[in-house]
Amino acid sequence: MGIAKEQLYDNQQEAFYETLAERLGITCDEVEEIEPQINENTGSDGAVYGYYLSFKEDTPREILDKIEGLDSNDCFWLDISDLYDEDYDEEQYEYIVKKKSPYNDCITSIEEAIQLLGLSLKKEKKSKYILYRQIYASLISILEAYLFERLLLSIDKDENLLANFFLFHNGAHNFDEHDVKKVRKHLMENIIYHNLNTVSQIYNATFKIRFPSCEKIKKAIKLRHDIVHRNGKKTNGDFLIVSRKDIEHLSDNIKELVSNLEYNICNPSLPFEE
């Protein structure tokens, strides 16, 4: 995938956070903490009449109280004119759906990131800590890219998977080309792929698999948040120390997760129990 591609995903994610933060009147950190999801308000006729944001169940009350305009269910309604545009980055879309193997790209990118551990640094201690933090954050970006690309590529290649996602996304069985474009835009711009709780639900519904347990990676994502959004500092102001062993463990955990997913996705005859 390469560093430039990882940076593209990070920039898109940051832009998404910044847009929501401005709309809600809170910080980007708070946006990520409350995990907003864009939902459609669909009528009995199947037409979409509006959009609203919902937040994770255990969202701190002190953050919600900062958001003006919440309804009685703590949802934030959006103007339909803000979201009607179905345009998306066609160049990026074509790049992804022409890929032969998001899995191979993921494994190769992980190995390239791990190779950076062998760099010889002049100001060894301080520089090493900075480098290790960046490698650690990069591994999460690589995972996000795989989850995004595998989902988008699979839906593009298999109409049954597209139907599964569409049923999960808005409860409808029928869809047209306009709906497909909306789905592409949604997957490319509105899903936060390091929100593994949301991503696991999408994967389970789309591929009819059971998303693997990944608690260790979820903990690593919280550390990545400190690296990316707090310049490598914890909430108490102390610098986060990432060791070589931390990086190697995260690398192994991500490889295990994507390998498990790839095996189950590419073997649709495997049994799946609700």
Side-chain angles (χ1 to χ4, degrees):
M1 178 176 62
I3 299 299
K5 205 64 180 178
E6 293 169 24
Q7 189 62 49
L8 172 62
Y9 290 121
D10 283 343
N11 290 345
Q12 289 174 332
Q13 183 183 94
E14 291 299 321
F16 179 61
Y17 285 160
E18 289 172 3
T19 298
L20 288 184
E22 182 177 357
R23 185 74 60 83
L24 299 175
I26 57 180
T27 67
C28 289
D29 283 354
E30 289 170 330
V31 168
E32 182 163 4
E33 184 175 351
I34 64 179
E35 299 178 5
Q37 296 296 315
I38 298 177
N39 307 277
E40 294 180 343
N41 178 32
T42 307
S44 57
D45 57 355
V48 177
Y49 290 98
Y51 298 87
Y52 63 93
L53 294 175
S54 60
F55 313 102
K56 68 176 184 178
E57 292 184 5
D58 59 345
T59 294
R61 188 73 242 174
E62 58 267 24
I63 297 180
L64 291 176
D65 288 341
K66 296 179 183 179
I67 303 173
E68 295 185 6
L70 290 182
D71 66 13
S72 59
N73 295 314
D74 286 333
C75 294
F76 184 87
W77 288 83
L78 301 166
D79 189 331
I80 193 170
S81 63
D82 293 332
L83 296 173
Y84 80 94
D85 185 9
E86 65 186 29
D87 289 339
Y88 52 88
D89 189 333
E90 187 69 32
E91 183 177 350
Q92 184 190 10
Y93 174 77
E94 291 297 330
Y95 167 82
I96 292 170
V97 298
K98 288 179 180 178
K99 281 197 167 200
K100 292 183 178 180
S101 175
Y103 173 76
N104 287 342
D105 285 354
C106 175
I107 297 301
T108 298
S109 294
I110 290 174
E111 292 174 349
E112 290 173 346
I114 294 300
Q115 288 177 3
L116 296 175
L117 292 173
L119 288 178
S120 178
L121 303 173
K122 293 181 179 179
K123 296 180 180 179
E124 186 166 340
K125 194 167 186 180
K126 183 177 180 181
S127 298
K128 182 174 70 174
Y129 287 154
I130 294 173
L131 175 63
Y132 282 11
R133 287 197 295 267
Q134 295 309 310
I135 295 173
Y136 196 85
S138 176
L139 290 175
I140 299 299
S141 296
I142 292 169
L143 171 61
E144 290 180 276
Y146 167 79
L147 294 171
F148 167 48
E149 293 176 353
R150 167 46 71 199
L151 181 61
L152 194 64
L153 175 62
S154 299
I155 286 177
D156 179 80
K157 301 297 184 185
D158 191 327
E159 190 166 314
N160 290 325
L161 296 178
L162 174 61
N164 288 345
F165 175 80
F166 203 80
L167 181 62
F168 167 79
H169 181 53
N170 66 5
H173 291 275
N174 301 316
F175 51 90
D176 55 24
E177 183 59 29
H178 173 75
D179 297 319
V180 172
K181 288 183 177 181
K182 287 174 61 179
V183 163
R184 289 174 183 170
K185 180 179 176 67
H186 179 72
L187 292 175
M188 294 177 71
E189 298 182 5
N190 295 340
I191 302 297
I192 301 172
Y193 286 88
H194 67 242
N195 183 342
L196 296 185
N197 291 331
T198 295
V199 170
S200 64
Q201 293 175 17
I202 294 173
Y203 266 65
N204 290 344
T206 301
F207 297 108
K208 301 302 179 184
I209 63 173
R210 189 177 302 283
F211 199 90
S213 176
C214 49
E215 294 306 313
K216 292 180 180 179
I217 296 178
K218 289 180 181 179
K219 291 180 180 178
I221 289 171
K222 292 182 179 180
L223 297 182
R224 180 258 184 198
H225 176 81
D226 289 338
I227 294 171
V228 173
H229 298 289
R230 298 193 177 94
N231 192 30
K233 293 181 180 179
K234 303 176 185 178
T235 53
N236 63 6
D238 293 339
F239 273 105
L240 178 68
I241 303 299
V242 176
S243 69
R244 184 187 187 98
K245 186 170 292 186
D246 292 331
I247 294 171
E248 291 172 345
H249 285 167
L250 178 58
S251 169
D252 290 341
N253 290 333
I254 291 176
K255 285 181 180 179
E256 181 180 1
L257 173 62
V258 299
S259 296
N260 192 318
L261 284 171
E262 196 74 6
Y263 177 77
N264 286 292
I265 289 170
C266 294
N267 291 274
S269 61
L270 291 174
F272 175 77
E273 298 180 358
E274 293 288 353

